[in-house]
Amino acid sequence: MRKHWILRLVAVFLGFTLLAAACGNDSSDGDAVEQDGGDTGGDTGGDGGDTGGDTGGDTGGDTGEDGGEDTVDLVQGGSVLAKVQDAGVVECGGNDTLPGFGIVDADGAFSGFDIDFCGVIAAAVLGDASAVNVTPLLAAQRFPTLQSGEIDVLIRNTTWTASRDGNEQANFLHTTFYDGQGFMVRDDSSIATLADANNASICVLTGTTTLLNLNAVLADRGIAFTPVTFESNDELNPAFQAGQCEVWTSDASQLAAFAATMDIPTRILPEIISKEPLGPVVADGDTQWAQVVNWATMATIQAWEFGINQENLSSFTDSEDTNIRRFLGLPIVDGDGNESIAEVGLGLPTDFAWNIIEQVGNYEDIFNRNLAGIGLTLAGSPNDLWTNGGLQYVPPFR
Amino acid sequence: MTGAGEGLSADDVALFTARAEAARPPSQKLPPGQWAKKNLFDGFANIIFTLVFGFAGLAVLFFLAVWVIDADYEIVRRNLRIFMIGQFPKNELWRPAVSLLVVMAGVGFTSGALARNAHDLALEQDLPTEKSSWVSLIRRFWAVIAVVIFFVSFARTLTPYLLVAGAFALLVAGRELGWAINAAVRARAIYIGATIFLLSMLVIAGTSSLGGLSLGLITLFWVAGEVGRRDLPGGVVGLTIRWGIALVAAIVVYAIEVAIPYDGFGWENWGGLHITLFTTVLGISLGMPFGILLALGRKSDLPVMKTASVLFIEFIRGVPLISLLLFSNLMLPLFLPIDFERPADLTLTIVVITGFSAAYIAEIVRGGLQAVPKGQTEAAQASGMSAGSVQRLIVLPQALRAVIPAMVGQFIALFKDTTLLQIIGILEFLRVTDVANVQPDFLGKGLAPVTYLFVALGYWAFAYTMSKESRRLETKLGVGVR
Amino acid sequence: MHYVSAGPGEAHGHTTNWGDVSMIRFLLAVLAVAVVLTGVYVVGRLIYDIVQLIGERRRSKNDAALPPLWRDVKALGIAAQIGVLAIIVAVIAYLRSNFLTRAEDIGLNLSFDFLDQPAGISIADNPLGPNDTVSEALTQGFLNTIRVILIGIPAALILGTLIGIARLSSNWVLQKLATGYVEFFRNIPPLVVIIVMWRVVFLEGFPRSQEAWKPLGGWFIFSNNRFAFPSLLGQDNFDAFRLILLLGLLAAAAVAVWRTRVFNETGSPHHRVLWGVGTFVGIATVAYVALGAPIATSKPALDEAGRVFSGGLRMQMPYAALTTALVIYTATHIAEIVRGSILAVHRGQVEAANALALSGFQRYRFVVLPQAMRIAFPPLINQFLNFSKNSSLAIAIGFSEVTSLVNDLFGQSQPAPQLILILMLFYLTLSLVLSAVGNLINRRLQVVGR
């Protein structure tokens, strides 16, 4: 018996030693790995930056494919543009339960404002607006999914903020929709301005910037409130209609969208407490892809500014305006009678704008197709063209 | 303490119920007057109960019926396809259709063959038996049949009706074929059934990687099964030969299949009732081998195996499925090598669900192992069998037979648990209600209760039928009665 | 002033005393120790076995009876274990290195410092503000989970037992209703029950707070924003009163034990419940009078705008919906267990009770139920565990228990791996505690019987 005891003790001791040794090795291994990883990360970042600079600077004559291949070696994991061209499809992160912006219709196809911009990118890069594969994402999944490379671009009502640009390794591009956080109440409510909402219960989505804004602004103004939080609008909407909360705060566009479908009359309060610029997002580290997505998106607005839309596009083949001809990728005859087609070196086909307008439409087409039906008007809103007093202004296409 | 003491959920108690009900004297037929007196108005308290609960029950049923009849089902009618198969591409609909027909034929064939096997066995042992009539089958499966008819009644074209009729015809034909075919084929009924299921998966997915996986698995089981029928040396050598050959064959088939490039579209677009049923079937069947291994590991005397099994089982059973699904979605891809692309959400989910059901199946199998009398093991050892053979040929068959009803219970539980896939954004049956309710035509119309009714009936019919079947199996297998 | 019953949704002070960073860090430390101890145990056992084997073979070196090493069952066992252990360690090391590489690649923060950062989350009816730390938020989530469990499990047990007994009733209507209830709710997923309960029954079924339903002279308030019930509120001398009540409870227990002993020795009827309750009520009454009404009732109130609920015991709607739905669902399983256990009590027992001329109630109370309880308890523990795990389904209706809170934290860019680890750790602890308590009671039940 006694001997067994000693044996057991020795065994346990030995086990401990072994384990300690193993752990010791483990942690030093771990350190080494971390260091290596750090180096790799730094290098890659540098390369990525370089690549971006090069491509932007001197690829004037390069075709899209060349641009793609050039960057394959330089950017870790390959360039997204080359990947998209290779796969023949744009992987787009979207929404499937946000009226007007991203829903699934009865045919099982995605539709909506955000989804159309996925189509814009596909039309620009691949010449086929239907070559899109939409992955519906929950709010919490957005950035991890973007980082993992599972999606090429995220267009899902995502607000551009500094911390997201920084901490989430995301690259926010041209704003497709200027929104702001507003408040909605029932028409018969006693609340006329935000100050009346003291002690009210307020319905709000979690995992969004909305809740953060709400907390900050109402605390500043000394307004007490009870937050009633929800995962998604299709849970919040019935709760508001049933009167579970008196106030619904969200992006003003969404409030208008839901209000249009409600049986009960509602009012939007005068206060807009935040800036919510929504637009496409790509992962950090691939400047070329970011430019492609950016210019494809902006082409819809440029077309609108030129007055080119889906219906009248074909009439522009004879346009005399050099800017329009250059924009649409039509041959330009110079003083010597030589025909040439403008090439801006973005890695996009020369007729990308034509494809976008033909297959998806200009900004106004997209807006009216998806958002007019849910009660939003373009004219006079922040999303109107700068020439009409709105905020939509894009750099020149030349 | 009995086996029940180890806590196998309600299933153990169900055994007692089955036993006690079997022992009850048959109820006598009373004339209506006496019956009412005995069952409704026997004493003051009973009269009160009858009146109060009778009235309340009738009121609830009445209002429910009025609402169900009055409701506007347009939302279901328009979205029927999404409810059934999610966002499957419209021009590829022949795939799920063919897949459904194949699966139904397979189910018919396998069930027919298994029923005939049981029938023959009973005849051999002079037990009373007869072929189940179609009338009795309809009575057993009325809920599923009714719900399928209810569902298909929302169809706006003829195709779904034809499809369901065709599927039913193939089911009948398959069953008759399975019943009539010769014994050698019938002995392989399970393999044939699994093969047909995997083939249907190939049809519906149609990518080379998934195809390779399914064909590889088919080869693995067929070869292992066929080699196992030959006389092999016992023990480790035999096992090695058997699974070695099977594995090599499977890898060869997989390699050939993957080398042929053709492109379907994986399972990213799957959804609706299809994904719910598919995930359940795959989760249970993939979890089964791991579950059995874990159960044996937990019973083992070897501390490494025992500790590892116990840790795995208790960890999985101690946390909610949601946390595991969050893990699969947010963390599992982080464990893959850096140059690996992130797999589809469904792939990640199935990995986790396999582990999840393995842990629960392990506990069920452990209960079955405990129910095998020790004398069986001892007798086998006394006749000179190796430890492996004792487990494989004597203990496991008896244990597994005893836990079939509990396994059906686990199947039902997993079927209901698949609703959680919506938390990670997969368009399973229940989440289709969310999608349908935000379509412009239905937004804010208060139609959500209609969609919930539709979905709840679907879940109910399958789960109810399966739980009835599991209770029938219990009585039939005489589990707990011996 | 004190709340006598600080129930669910009750806004009481911060519970920083036990719920700090320390709780989460403590759990993490326990986990680390457990992992190390398991490793030590496994490796130690293996080494012990090897040493034993070597010793055995050395002692009997010349003994021909011993099989060769490759046929020795013990040696084979050790070899297999070393093989399995090596595979496990290799797989874990491989996954770990993959994980570290990937974490580095996407810049994942793997430290636990985020626990002390502001969470940016607020919860209804909870003092938690957006500037409170992540660990504070998690703690409030844990507490909300525990609130669901503490109310839900007893409720499910009571409802389930009643339904289970009703299923065996001789009354046809009652029996059919109970059967219908069980067969319906048992076969639909709990998530469907929860969502329907929330969106259809609770949101549509109750008026909004501006038109709240106030039955019984306003002592109860029902609206789809809150439920409010009367509660008790401590006044002066409340602490002393609470102490006396505790002592009264002990005295009652002592009296009950004494009566039991008298019964065992003399056989005269014990009436221990009557005696015990009498003692407690007596002490409580005397103390209440002597201390000058130390508690008062608190009537719930709602301001004119229908916004601010005050007084009484208030319950928020998602909490009520979640708990009700889970109770309805779990009760079906408990009913089946209760019914099966009652049926499993041997018929001879019932017949013997009949022969002793016990009444129907006595037969149930003294013969059937005690035995059925013994059979029912182990599977009941499983149902309690299922209940606590199912409470995580709150994520679908936005009640801020721990799982949906963790999900919110993902949305605020808090690191997923650590949060998932903490979440799992919390449920593991909960499961362990629940099954430990259950097994303790179970052992007691079984020992008393045999």
Side-chain angles (χ1 to χ4, degrees), chain B residues 253-271:
Chain B
V253 169
Y254 177 81
I256 293 175
E257 162 73 31
V258 171
I260 308 169
Y262 60 95
D263 234 7
F265 25 70
W267 45 29
E268 285 88 352
N269 290 316
W270 292 16

Side-chain angles (χ1 to χ4, degrees), chain A residues 300-377:
Chain A
T300 63
I301 295 161
Q302 183 62 58
W304 182 24
E305 195 179 334
F306 280 140
I308 312 172
N309 62 30
Q310 214 168 358
E311 269 173 32
N312 65 17
L313 174 65
S314 51
S315 69
F316 281 87
T317 41
D318 311 327
S319 171
E320 299 290 316
D321 187 331
T322 319
N323 283 331
I324 291 181
R325 293 195 74 84
R326 187 185 290 125
F327 175 64
L328 291 175
L330 297 169
I332 299 164
V333 184
D334 62 14
D336 304 333
N338 296 328
E339 275 198 358
S340 69
I341 294 177
E343 168 60 71
V344 285
L346 288 168
L348 283 168
T350 49
D351 59 349
F352 77 97
W354 179 279
N355 288 337
I356 290 173
I357 303 161
E358 185 183 24
Q359 296 178 25
V360 192
N362 70 17
Y363 185 89
E364 193 180 18
D365 292 331
I366 296 173
F367 191 100
N368 288 334
R369 183 186 314 138
N370 297 296
L371 302 179
I374 60 165
L376 294 183
T377 44

Side-chain angles (χ1 to χ4, degrees), chain A residues 84 89-95 101-102 110 112-126 128-135 151-156 176 280 289 293 296-297 300 356 360 366:
Chain A
V84 168
V89 64
V90 176
E91 297 285 346
C92 186
N95 203 330
F101 289 87
F110 287 97
F113 183 82
D114 284 351
I115 307 294
D116 271 358
F117 274 97
C118 296
V120 163
I121 295 164
V125 176
L126 304 166
D128 177 9
S130 65
V132 173
N133 187 17
V134 180
T135 307
I151 53 173
D152 304 320
V153 56
L154 171 73
I155 313 184
R156 188 203 172 280
T176 52
W289 176 241
V293 173
T297 309
T300 63
I356 290 173
V360 192
I366 296 173

Side-chain angles (χ1 to χ4, degrees), chain B residues 301-339:
Chain B
D301 299 329
L302 306 174
V304 171
M305 277 70 156
K306 193 181 169 91
T307 313
S309 307
V310 169
L311 282 185
F312 183 82
I313 293 172
E314 292 305 327
F315 165 68
I316 297 280
R317 284 163 48 93
V319 300
L321 180 56
I322 290 184
S323 65
L324 292 170
L325 288 174
L326 290 175
F327 176 86
S328 85
N329 198 269
L330 296 170
M331 278 189 73
L332 202 52
L334 295 176
F335 290 101
L336 293 173
I338 189 100
D339 45 351

Side-chain angles (χ1 to χ4, degrees), chain C residues 373-390:
Chain C
M373 196 62 188
R374 217 168 283 157
I375 301 169
F377 207 77
L380 277 182
I381 300 176
N382 260 319
Q383 288 307 319
F384 299 158
L385 290 175
N386 283 348
F387 187 102
S388 60
K389 285 185 281 176
N390 279 341

Side-chain angles (χ1 to χ4, degrees), chain C residues 96-395:
Chain C
R96 182 171 175 272
S97 89
N98 281 345
F99 178 75
L100 289 176
T101 318
R102 286 220 175 214
E104 187 71 44
D105 186 50
I106 60 173
L108 212 56
N109 169 17
L110 290 181
S111 80
F112 280 87
D113 298 340
F114 72 99
L115 285 173
D116 304 324
Q117 304 289 317
I121 277 183
S122 34
I123 306 178
D125 281 1
N126 196 302
L128 186 82
N131 292 325
D132 284 319
T133 60
V134 171
S135 71
E136 193 72 52
L138 284 172
T139 310
Q140 295 302 323
F142 296 157
L143 292 179
N144 273 342
T145 301
I146 288 171
R147 279 181 192 129
V148 173
I149 293 171
L150 279 186
I151 303 290
I153 288 181
L157 188 60
I158 294 169
L159 182 64
T161 310
L162 289 179
I163 303 271
I165 293 174
R167 280 202 72 180
L168 294 168
S169 159
S170 61
N171 184 304
W172 185 84
V173 172
L174 198 58
Q175 189 214 331
K176 286 296 165 200
L177 276 182
T179 309
Y181 168 85
V182 169
E183 289 297 355
F184 183 72
F185 283 106
R186 200 169 59 133
N187 287 317
I188 51 180
L191 193 57
V192 175
V193 183
I194 290 172
I195 290 178
V196 169
M197 187 61 62
W198 163 237
R199 281 194 218 169
V200 181
V201 178
F202 276 61
L203 279 184
E204 308 291 334
F206 289 95
R208 57 203 186 104
S209 57
Q210 282 78 7
E211 299 145 8
W213 182 46
K214 300 175 186 168
L216 299 178
W219 281 94
F220 292 85
I221 302 176
F222 292 101
S223 76
N224 64 12
N225 188 303
R226 295 275 189 291
F227 287 165
F229 309 103
S231 68
L232 297 173
L233 203 57
Q235 308 287 333
D236 298 338
N237 293 335
F238 177 69
D239 285 330
F241 185 62
R242 198 154 51 172
L243 193 69
I244 294 175
L245 283 191
L246 196 69
L247 292 175
L249 216 57
L250 289 176
V255 168
V257 169
W258 166 66
R259 286 310 301 172
T260 313
R261 191 168 301 155
V262 167
F263 167 72
N264 287 345
E265 283 166 6
T266 66
S268 62
H270 52 64
H271 295 305
R272 56 187 173 201
V273 176
L274 221 58
W275 274 85
V277 171
T279 310
F280 181 74
V281 170
I283 292 176
T285 316
V286 170
Y288 184 83
V289 174
L291 292 173
I295 47 171
T297 49
S298 161
K299 183 178 176 177
L302 181 60
D303 72 345
E304 274 174 26
R307 281 182 202 154
V308 186
F309 286 76
S310 54
L313 179 64
R314 305 176 299 275
M315 202 186 270
Q316 46 167 315
M317 223 22 41
Y319 170 84
L322 176 74
T323 315
T324 317
L326 284 180
V327 165
I328 285 178
Y329 177 76
T330 314
T332 61
H333 291 271
I334 292 180
E336 282 300 273
I337 292 171
V338 168
R339 167 168 166 268
S341 310
I342 292 176
L343 282 176
V345 173
H346 202 275
R347 280 195 78 75
Q349 296 283 332
V350 180
E351 282 155 12
N354 279 338
L356 288 174
L358 296 184
S359 75
F361 172 76
Q362 284 174 328
R363 200 172 65 215
Y364 255 87
R365 166 69 185 79
F366 295 110
V367 179
V368 178
L369 277 185
Q371 298 186 57
M373 196 62 188
R374 217 168 283 157
I375 301 169
F377 207 77
L380 277 182
I381 300 176
N382 260 319
Q383 288 307 319
F384 299 158
L385 290 175
N386 283 348
F387 187 102
S388 60
K389 285 185 281 176
N390 279 341
S391 69
S392 60
L393 298 177
I395 197 173

Side-chain angles (χ1 to χ4, degrees), chain A residues 96-97 99 103-108 110 138 141 148 150 234 258 261, chain B residues 78-79 81-82 87 90 329 342 423-424 431 434-435 438-440 443:
Chain A
D96 58 359
T97 48
I103 60 161
V104 174
D105 62 25
D107 274 341
F110 287 97
L138 306 178
Q141 285 176 324
S148 75
E150 192 188 353
D234 38 289
F258 279 102
T261 66
Chain B
R78 293 260 286 278
N79 287 292
R81 189 153 60 81
I82 306 188
Q87 295 169 271
K90 215 175 172 184
N329 198 269
R342 185 192 156 100
I423 305 290
I424 51 166
R431 200 172 118 84
D434 288 348
V435 162
V438 295
Q439 286 167 356
L443 186 67

